[in-house]
CSV table of all heavy atoms in Angstrom, one decimal:
chain,number,residue,atom,x,y,z
W,1,TRP,N,101.4,97.9,88.7
W,1,TRP,CA,100.7,98.6,89.7
W,1,TRP,C,99.6,97.8,90.3
W,1,TRP,O,99.2,98.0,91.5
W,1,TRP,CB,100.2,100.0,89.1
W,1,TRP,CG,101.3,101.0,89.2
W,1,TRP,CD1,102.1,101.5,88.2
W,1,TRP,CD2,101.8,101.6,90.4
W,1,TRP,NE1,103.0,102.4,88.6
W,1,TRP,CE2,102.8,102.5,90.0
W,1,TRP,CE3,101.5,101.6,91.7
W,1,TRP,CZ2,103.5,103.3,90.9
W,1,TRP,CZ3,102.2,102.4,92.6
W,1,TRP,CH2,103.2,103.2,92.2
W,2,MET,N,98.9,97.0,89.4
W,2,MET,CA,97.9,96.1,90.0
W,2,MET,C,98.5,95.2,91.0
W,2,MET,O,97.9,94.9,92.1
W,2,MET,CB,97.3,95.3,88.8
W,2,MET,CG,96.4,96.1,87.8
W,2,MET,SD,95.9,95.2,86.4
W,2,MET,CE,94.8,93.9,87.3
W,3,GLN,N,99.7,94.6,90.7
W,3,GLN,CA,100.3,93.7,91.7
W,3,GLN,C,100.7,94.5,93.0
W,3,GLN,O,100.6,93.9,94.1
W,3,GLN,CB,101.6,93.1,91.0
W,3,GLN,CG,102.4,92.3,92.0
W,3,GLN,CD,103.3,91.3,91.4
W,3,GLN,OE1,102.9,90.6,90.4
W,3,GLN,NE2,104.6,91.2,91.8
W,4,ASN,N,101.2,95.7,92.8
W,4,ASN,CA,101.6,96.4,94.0
W,4,ASN,C,100.4,96.6,95.0
W,4,ASN,O,100.6,96.4,96.2
W,4,ASN,CB,102.2,97.8,93.6
W,4,ASN,CG,103.5,97.7,93.0
W,4,ASN,OD1,104.2,96.7,93.0
W,4,ASN,ND2,103.9,98.8,92.3
W,5,VAL,N,99.3,97.0,94.4
W,5,VAL,CA,98.1,97.3,95.3
W,5,VAL,C,97.6,95.9,95.8
W,5,VAL,O,97.3,95.8,97.0
W,5,VAL,CB,97.0,98.0,94.5
W,5,VAL,CG1,95.7,98.0,95.3
W,5,VAL,CG2,97.4,99.4,94.1
W,6,ALA,N,97.5,94.9,95.0
W,6,ALA,CA,97.0,93.6,95.4
W,6,ALA,C,97.9,93.0,96.5
W,6,ALA,O,97.4,92.4,97.5
W,6,ALA,CB,96.9,92.7,94.2
W,7,LEU,N,99.2,93.2,96.4
W,7,LEU,CA,100.1,92.6,97.4
W,7,LEU,C,99.9,93.3,98.7
W,7,LEU,O,99.9,92.6,99.8
W,7,LEU,CB,101.6,92.8,96.9
W,7,LEU,CG,102.6,92.0,97.7
W,7,LEU,CD1,102.4,90.5,97.6
W,7,LEU,CD2,104.0,92.4,97.2
W,8,SER,N,99.9,94.6,98.8
W,8,SER,CA,99.7,95.3,100.0
W,8,SER,C,98.4,94.9,100.7
W,8,SER,O,98.3,94.8,101.9
W,8,SER,CB,99.8,96.8,99.9
W,8,SER,OG,98.7,97.3,99.1
W,9,TRP,N,97.3,94.8,99.9
W,9,TRP,CA,96.0,94.4,100.4
W,9,TRP,C,96.0,93.0,100.9
W,9,TRP,O,95.5,92.7,102.0
W,9,TRP,CB,94.9,94.6,99.3
W,9,TRP,CG,93.5,94.3,99.9
W,9,TRP,CD1,92.8,93.2,99.8
W,9,TRP,CD2,92.7,95.2,100.7
W,9,TRP,NE1,91.6,93.3,100.5
W,9,TRP,CE2,91.5,94.6,101.0
W,9,TRP,CE3,92.9,96.5,101.1
W,9,TRP,CZ2,90.5,95.2,101.7
W,9,TRP,CZ3,91.9,97.1,101.8
W,9,TRP,CH2,90.7,96.5,102.1
W,10,LEU,N,96.7,92.1,100.2
W,10,LEU,CA,96.8,90.7,100.6
W,10,LEU,C,97.5,90.6,102.0
W,10,LEU,O,97.0,89.9,102.9
W,10,LEU,CB,97.5,89.9,99.6
W,10,LEU,CG,97.8,88.4,99.9
W,10,LEU,CD1,96.5,87.6,100.0
W,10,LEU,CD2,98.8,87.8,98.8
W,11,VAL,N,98.6,91.3,102.1
W,11,VAL,CA,99.4,91.2,103.4
W,11,VAL,C,98.5,91.8,104.5
W,11,VAL,O,98.5,91.2,105.6
W,11,VAL,CB,100.7,92.0,103.2
W,11,VAL,CG1,101.4,92.2,104.6
W,11,VAL,CG2,101.6,91.4,102.2
W,12,TYR,N,97.9,92.9,104.3
W,12,TYR,CA,97.1,93.5,105.4
W,12,TYR,C,95.8,92.6,105.7
W,12,TYR,O,95.5,92.5,106.9
W,12,TYR,CB,96.6,94.9,105.0
W,12,TYR,CG,96.1,95.7,106.2
W,12,TYR,CD1,97.0,96.0,107.2
W,12,TYR,CD2,94.8,96.1,106.3
W,12,TYR,CE1,96.6,96.8,108.3
W,12,TYR,CE2,94.4,96.9,107.4
W,12,TYR,CZ,95.3,97.2,108.4
W,12,TYR,OH,94.8,97.9,109.5
W,13,ARG,N,95.2,92.0,104.7
W,13,ARG,CA,94.1,91.1,104.9
W,13,ARG,C,94.5,89.9,105.7
W,13,ARG,O,93.8,89.4,106.6
W,13,ARG,CB,93.5,90.7,103.6
W,13,ARG,CG,92.3,89.7,103.7
W,13,ARG,CD,91.7,89.4,102.4
W,13,ARG,NE,92.6,88.7,101.5
W,13,ARG,CZ,92.8,87.4,101.5
W,13,ARG,NH1,92.3,86.6,102.4
W,13,ARG,NH2,93.7,86.8,100.6
W,14,MET,N,95.7,89.4,105.4
W,14,MET,CA,96.2,88.2,106.1
W,14,MET,C,96.7,88.5,107.5
W,14,MET,O,96.5,87.6,108.4
W,14,MET,CB,97.3,87.5,105.3
W,14,MET,CG,96.9,87.0,104.0
W,14,MET,SD,98.4,86.4,103.0
W,14,MET,CE,99.0,85.1,104.0
W,15,THR,N,97.2,89.7,107.8
W,15,THR,CA,97.9,89.9,109.1
W,15,THR,C,97.3,91.0,109.9
W,15,THR,O,97.5,91.1,111.1
W,15,THR,CB,99.4,90.3,108.8
W,15,THR,OG1,99.4,91.5,108.1
W,15,THR,CG2,100.0,89.2,108.0
W,16,HIS,N,96.6,92.0,109.3
W,16,HIS,CA,96.1,93.2,109.9
W,16,HIS,C,97.2,93.9,110.7
W,16,HIS,O,97.0,94.4,111.8
W,16,HIS,CB,94.9,92.9,110.9
W,16,HIS,CG,93.7,92.3,110.2
W,16,HIS,ND1,92.9,93.0,109.4
W,16,HIS,CD2,93.3,91.0,110.1
W,16,HIS,CE1,91.9,92.2,108.9
W,16,HIS,NE2,92.2,91.0,109.3
W,17,SER,N,98.4,93.9,110.1
W,17,SER,CA,99.5,94.5,110.8
W,17,SER,C,100.2,95.5,109.9
W,17,SER,O,100.7,95.2,108.8
W,17,SER,CB,100.5,93.4,111.1
W,17,SER,OG,101.8,93.9,111.6
W,18,ALA,N,100.3,96.8,110.5
W,18,ALA,CA,101.0,97.8,109.8
W,18,ALA,C,102.5,97.5,109.8
W,18,ALA,O,103.2,97.8,108.8
W,18,ALA,CB,100.8,99.2,110.5
W,19,PHE,N,103.0,96.9,110.8
W,19,PHE,CA,104.4,96.5,110.9
W,19,PHE,C,104.8,95.5,109.8
W,19,PHE,O,105.8,95.7,109.2
W,19,PHE,CB,104.7,95.9,112.3
W,19,PHE,CG,106.1,95.3,112.4
W,19,PHE,CD1,107.2,96.2,112.5
W,19,PHE,CD2,106.4,94.0,112.4
W,19,PHE,CE1,108.5,95.7,112.6
W,19,PHE,CE2,107.7,93.5,112.5
W,19,PHE,CZ,108.7,94.4,112.6
W,20,LEU,N,104.0,94.5,109.6
W,20,LEU,CA,104.3,93.5,108.5
W,20,LEU,C,104.2,94.1,107.1
W,20,LEU,O,104.9,93.7,106.2
W,20,LEU,CB,103.4,92.3,108.6
W,20,LEU,CG,103.8,91.3,109.7
W,20,LEU,CD1,102.8,90.2,109.9
W,20,LEU,CD2,105.2,90.8,109.5
W,21,LEU,N,103.3,95.1,107.0
W,21,LEU,CA,103.3,95.9,105.7
W,21,LEU,C,104.6,96.5,105.5
W,21,LEU,O,105.2,96.5,104.4
W,21,LEU,CB,102.2,97.0,105.7
W,21,LEU,CG,100.8,96.6,105.4
W,21,LEU,CD1,99.8,97.7,105.7
W,21,LEU,CD2,100.6,96.1,104.0
W,22,GLY,N,105.2,97.1,106.5
W,22,GLY,CA,106.5,97.7,106.4
W,22,GLY,C,107.6,96.6,106.2
W,22,GLY,O,108.5,96.9,105.4
W,23,VAL,N,107.5,95.5,106.8
W,23,VAL,CA,108.5,94.4,106.6
W,23,VAL,C,108.5,93.9,105.1
W,23,VAL,O,109.5,93.7,104.5
W,23,VAL,CB,108.2,93.2,107.6
W,23,VAL,CG1,109.0,92.0,107.2
W,23,VAL,CG2,108.5,93.6,109.0
W,24,VAL,N,107.3,93.7,104.6
W,24,VAL,CA,107.2,93.3,103.2
W,24,VAL,C,107.7,94.3,102.2
W,24,VAL,O,108.5,94.0,101.3
W,24,VAL,CB,105.7,92.9,102.8
W,24,VAL,CG1,105.6,92.6,101.3
W,24,VAL,CG2,105.3,91.7,103.6
W,25,GLY,N,107.4,95.6,102.5
W,25,GLY,CA,108.0,96.7,101.7
W,25,GLY,C,109.5,96.7,101.8
W,25,GLY,O,110.2,96.9,100.8
W,26,PHE,N,110.0,96.5,103.0
W,26,PHE,CA,111.4,96.5,103.2
W,26,PHE,C,112.1,95.4,102.5
W,26,PHE,O,113.1,95.6,101.8
W,26,PHE,CB,111.7,96.3,104.7
W,26,PHE,CG,113.2,96.3,105.1
W,26,PHE,CD1,113.9,97.4,105.3
W,26,PHE,CD2,113.8,95.0,105.3
W,26,PHE,CE1,115.3,97.4,105.6
W,26,PHE,CE2,115.1,95.0,105.6
W,26,PHE,CZ,115.9,96.1,105.8
W,27,ALA,N,111.5,94.2,102.5
W,27,ALA,CA,112.0,93.0,101.8
W,27,ALA,C,112.1,93.2,100.3
W,27,ALA,O,113.1,92.8,99.7
W,27,ALA,CB,111.2,91.8,102.2
W,28,GLY,N,111.1,93.8,99.8
W,28,GLY,CA,111.0,94.0,98.3
W,28,GLY,C,112.0,95.1,97.8
W,28,GLY,O,112.3,95.0,96.6
W,29,GLN,N,112.4,96.0,98.7
W,29,GLN,CA,113.2,97.1,98.2
W,29,GLN,C,114.6,97.1,98.7
W,29,GLN,O,115.5,97.9,98.2
W,29,GLN,CB,112.5,98.4,98.5
W,29,GLN,CG,111.2,98.5,97.8
W,29,GLN,CD,110.1,99.4,98.5
W,29,GLN,OE1,110.3,99.6,99.7
W,29,GLN,NE2,109.1,99.8,97.8
W,30,ILE,N,114.9,96.4,99.8
W,30,ILE,CA,116.3,96.4,100.3
W,30,ILE,C,117.4,96.0,99.4
W,30,ILE,O,118.5,96.5,99.4
W,30,ILE,CB,116.4,95.6,101.7
W,30,ILE,CG1,117.7,95.9,102.4
W,30,ILE,CG2,116.1,94.1,101.4
W,30,ILE,CD1,117.9,97.3,102.8
W,31,PRO,N,117.1,95.0,98.5
W,31,PRO,CA,118.1,94.6,97.5
W,31,PRO,C,118.6,95.8,96.7
W,31,PRO,O,119.8,95.8,96.3
W,31,PRO,CB,117.4,93.5,96.6
W,31,PRO,CG,116.4,92.9,97.5
W,31,PRO,CD,115.9,94.1,98.3
W,32,THR,N,117.7,96.7,96.4
W,32,THR,CA,118.1,97.9,95.6
W,32,THR,C,119.2,98.7,96.3
W,32,THR,O,120.1,99.1,95.6
W,32,THR,CB,116.9,98.8,95.4
W,32,THR,OG1,115.8,98.1,94.9
W,32,THR,CG2,117.2,100.0,94.5
W,33,PHE,N,119.2,98.8,97.6
W,33,PHE,CA,120.2,99.5,98.3
W,33,PHE,C,121.6,98.9,98.2
W,33,PHE,O,122.6,99.5,98.0
W,33,PHE,CB,119.8,99.7,99.8
W,33,PHE,CG,120.7,100.5,100.6
W,33,PHE,CD1,120.6,101.9,100.6
W,33,PHE,CD2,121.7,99.9,101.4
W,33,PHE,CE1,121.5,102.6,101.3
W,33,PHE,CE2,122.6,100.6,102.1
W,33,PHE,CZ,122.5,102.0,102.1
W,34,PHE,N,121.6,97.5,98.3
W,34,PHE,CA,122.9,96.8,98.4
W,34,PHE,C,123.4,96.4,97.0
W,34,PHE,O,124.6,96.4,96.8
W,34,PHE,CB,122.8,95.6,99.3
W,34,PHE,CG,122.6,95.9,100.7
W,34,PHE,CD1,121.4,95.8,101.4
W,34,PHE,CD2,123.7,96.4,101.5
W,34,PHE,CE1,121.3,96.1,102.7
W,34,PHE,CE2,123.6,96.7,102.8
W,34,PHE,CZ,122.3,96.5,103.4
W,35,ILE,N,122.5,96.1,96.1
W,35,ILE,CA,122.9,95.5,94.8
W,35,ILE,C,123.1,96.6,93.7
W,35,ILE,O,124.0,96.5,92.8
W,35,ILE,CB,121.9,94.4,94.3
W,35,ILE,CG1,121.9,93.3,95.4
W,35,ILE,CG2,122.3,93.9,93.0
W,35,ILE,CD1,120.9,92.2,95.1
W,36,THR,N,122.2,97.6,93.7
W,36,THR,CA,122.2,98.5,92.6
W,36,THR,C,123.5,99.2,92.3
W,36,THR,O,123.9,99.4,91.1
W,36,THR,CB,121.1,99.6,92.9
W,36,THR,OG1,119.8,99.0,92.9
W,36,THR,CG2,121.1,100.7,91.8
W,37,PRO,N,124.3,99.6,93.3
W,37,PRO,CA,125.6,100.2,92.9
W,37,PRO,C,126.5,99.3,92.1
W,37,PRO,O,127.1,99.8,91.1
W,37,PRO,CB,126.3,100.5,94.3
W,37,PRO,CG,125.1,100.6,95.2
W,37,PRO,CD,124.1,99.7,94.7
W,38,PHE,N,126.5,98.0,92.4
W,38,PHE,CA,127.3,97.0,91.6
W,38,PHE,C,126.6,96.8,90.2
W,38,PHE,O,127.3,96.6,89.2
W,38,PHE,CB,127.4,95.7,92.3
W,38,PHE,CG,128.1,95.8,93.7
W,38,PHE,CD1,127.4,96.0,94.8
W,38,PHE,CD2,129.5,95.9,93.7
W,38,PHE,CE1,128.1,96.1,96.0
W,38,PHE,CE2,130.2,96.0,94.9
W,38,PHE,CZ,129.5,96.1,96.1
W,39,ALA,N,125.3,96.9,90.2
W,39,ALA,CA,124.5,96.7,89.0
W,39,ALA,C,124.9,97.8,88.0
W,39,ALA,O,124.9,97.6,86.8
W,39,ALA,CB,123.0,96.7,89.3
W,40,GLY,N,125.1,99.0,88.6
W,40,GLY,CA,125.5,100.1,87.7
W,40,GLY,C,126.8,99.9,86.9
W,40,GLY,O,126.9,100.2,85.7
W,41,VAL,N,127.8,99.3,87.6
W,41,VAL,CA,129.0,98.9,86.9
W,41,VAL,C,128.7,97.9,85.8
W,41,VAL,O,129.2,97.9,84.7
W,41,VAL,CB,130.0,98.3,87.9
W,41,VAL,CG1,131.3,97.8,87.2
W,41,VAL,CG2,130.4,99.3,89.0
W,42,PHE,N,127.9,96.9,86.1
W,42,PHE,CA,127.5,95.8,85.2
W,42,PHE,C,126.8,96.4,84.0
W,42,PHE,O,127.0,96.1,82.8
W,42,PHE,CB,126.5,94.9,85.9
W,42,PHE,CG,126.4,93.5,85.3
W,42,PHE,CD1,127.4,92.6,85.3
W,42,PHE,CD2,125.2,93.2,84.6
W,42,PHE,CE1,127.3,91.4,84.7
W,42,PHE,CE2,125.1,92.0,84.0
W,42,PHE,CZ,126.2,91.1,84.0
């Protein structure tokens, strides 16, 4: 949880962009959508 908060603050401090906050969140979680179903079989 420390990393989650620090990462969002770092991105916003570097870019001041709500859109890039969304992009980073998307990048970190999109593998779950595509890989997790196969991971369940594994």
Side-chain angles (χ1 to χ4, degrees):
W1 276 106
M2 290 175 63
Q3 174 160 314
N4 289 344
V5 172
L7 188 65
S8 64
W9 185 262
L10 176 66
V11 171
Y12 196 65
R13 177 176 64 80
M14 292 174 64
T15 66
H16 298 286
S17 169
F19 174 72
L20 282 176
L21 278 173
V23 169
V24 172
F26 178 84
Q29 293 152 344
I30 190 60
T32 306
F33 183 82
F34 290 106
I35 299 176
T36 295
F38 299 97
V41 177
F42 199 72

